[in-house]
């Protein structure tokens, strides 16, 4: 239980209920409809994350759990001559990302299968790591492993920009936790998490943690620095 922190309102959060080795398949089946969900409930938080990432051309950018490439498209546009790497567990999501990025095929990017638990990047090599709506799928007991891996690849002073489904803080937002309790799959396996404290424990400096609610769906946007 020590890996399962209480939330700001002292509720016991729910843990991940779809195992990591099934997540790729789950997202393969969600991929055709994912962008509609993403636009309706996640676009404000994702846009804010891109603002905070403040990407400059020439950087080494890694997006983990790149999904259908919604954020990655903007990242590559802003960093045409830098290095852009997008990885994800789900071939179905990556197929959509590859299609989305087609118009930028002359830019410097790669999209491939990969896991947050074992990144291919060398130590201290990444300027900015973007990771949207993935920790809400990771069991509490495994979160530290991913954070250690993120920290390993980031340069000293490198930025970590995270978006997660989080615990609801405003009217109506708890509906999604209720749906998850009944059917985790309906929520794509996502439940509300809060990552700032964990990142702080791992030595990250937390510059900001913002709460967004869109169609009642609660998200946190975190800007942290190694
Ligand atoms: C809710 S979707 C978010 C996709 C994208 N980041 C976005 O915001 O549109 C979650 C994504 O995380 C991916 N994922 C889950 N666990 C992962 C892991 N350990 N490593 C890499 N990708 C993972 C899933 O395959 C899925 O594409």
């Amino acid at each position: 239980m020590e890996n399962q922190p209480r939330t700001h309102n002292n509720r016991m959060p729910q843990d991940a209920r779809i195992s990591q080795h099934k997540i790729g398949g789950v997202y393969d089946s969600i991929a055709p409809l994912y962008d509609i969900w993403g636009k309706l409930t996640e676009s404000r938080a994702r846009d804010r994350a891109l603002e905070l990432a403040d990407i400059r051309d020439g950087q080494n950018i890694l997006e983990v759990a790149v999904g259908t490439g919604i954020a990655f498209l903007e990242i590559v546009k802003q960093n045409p001559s830098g290095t852009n790497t997008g990885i994800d567990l789900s071939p179905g999501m990556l197929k959509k990302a590859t299609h989305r990025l087609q118009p930028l095929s002359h830019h410097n990017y790669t999209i491939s299968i990969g896991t947050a638990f074992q990144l291919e990047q060398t130590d201290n090599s990444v300027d900015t790591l973007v990771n949207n709506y993935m920790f809400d799928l990771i069991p509490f007991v495994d979160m530290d492993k991913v954070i250690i891996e993120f920290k390993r690849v980031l340069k000293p002073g490198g930025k970590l920009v995270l978006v997660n489904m989080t615990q609801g803080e405003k009217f109506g937002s708890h509906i999604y936790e209720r749906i998850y309790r009944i059917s985790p799959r309906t929520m794509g396996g996502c439940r509300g998490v809060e990552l700032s404290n964990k990142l702080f424990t791992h030595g990250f400096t937390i510059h900001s943690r913002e709460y967004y609610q869109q169609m009642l769906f609660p998200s946190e946007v975190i800007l942290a620095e190694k």
Side-chain angles (χ1 to χ4, degrees):
M1 280 311 223
E2 73 192 32
N3 282 303
Q4 199 159 331
R6 285 184 182 272
T7 58
H8 67 281
N9 53 13
N10 212 28
R11 276 202 312 270
M12 187 59 82
Q14 304 186 75
D15 206 347
R17 284 165 56 199
I18 300 181
S19 70
Q20 273 282 298
H21 65 267
K22 289 195 178 149
I23 284 289
V26 168
Y27 275 88
D28 283 349
S29 58
I30 292 174
L33 293 176
Y34 186 80
D35 289 354
I36 298 170
W37 169 262
K39 180 121 190 114
L40 290 175
T41 63
E42 301 172 346
S43 58
R44 283 180 52 216
R46 201 182 281 105
D47 289 351
R48 178 61 178 148
L50 284 169
E51 252 172 44
L52 291 170
D54 189 26
I55 288 161
R56 310 286 165 95
D57 193 16
Q59 293 183 319
N60 185 9
I61 311 293
L62 170 63
E63 185 174 0
V64 177
V66 70
T68 63
I70 302 171
F72 197 58
L73 180 75
E74 301 309 317
I75 290 170
V76 175
K77 278 184 192 164
Q78 290 166 25
N79 189 35
S81 52
T83 304
N84 302 286
T85 309
I87 64 160
D88 199 285
L89 283 183
S90 158
M93 296 289 270
L94 288 182
K95 193 170 165 205
K96 291 208 79 175
T98 304
H99 182 69
R100 172 171 266 128
L101 271 287
Q102 204 73 57
L104 302 185
S105 55
H106 53 291
H107 289 33
N108 185 20
Y109 70 86
T110 58
I111 294 173
S112 58
I113 295 280
T115 173
F117 288 91
Q118 199 172 5
L119 300 173
E120 289 186 356
Q121 281 66 23
T122 55
D123 296 0
N124 305 313
S125 62
V126 172
D127 291 295
T128 300
L129 194 159
V130 176
N131 178 236
N132 296 337
Y133 298 106
M134 184 198 78
F135 272 101
D136 36 45
L137 298 167
I138 304 285
F140 289 115
V141 70
D142 290 334
M143 285 181 173
D144 292 315
K145 291 179 208 154
V146 176
I147 295 170
I148 289 167
E149 192 61 352
F150 283 5
K151 198 171 173 200
R152 178 185 71 74
V153 301
L154 275 168
K155 290 179 181 172
K159 275 186 193 174
L160 176 61
V161 184
L162 281 189
V163 183
N164 305 305
M165 177 184 170
T166 195
Q167 294 282 320
E169 295 176 17
K170 292 187 183 159
F171 178 76
S173 55
H174 304 296
I175 181 78
Y176 293 100
E177 290 292 333
R178 291 200 193 106
I179 296 170
Y180 180 85
R181 205 176 289 282
I182 298 162
S183 168
R185 225 185 147 95
T186 305
M187 288 298 300
C190 297
R191 86 292 189 199
V193 297
E194 294 179 10
L195 261 291
S196 322
N197 287 345
K198 265 201 179 295
L199 294 173
F200 180 75
T201 314
H202 281 271
F204 279 93
T205 304
I206 311 299
H207 287 299
S208 58
R209 189 259 181 193
E210 298 171 9
Y211 177 83
Y212 286 84
Q213 195 166 301
Q214 187 177 350
M215 298 278 283
L216 303 179
F217 184 76
S219 298
E220 64 174 8
V221 182
I222 297 175
L223 174 63
E225 183 182 329
K226 174 171 162 183

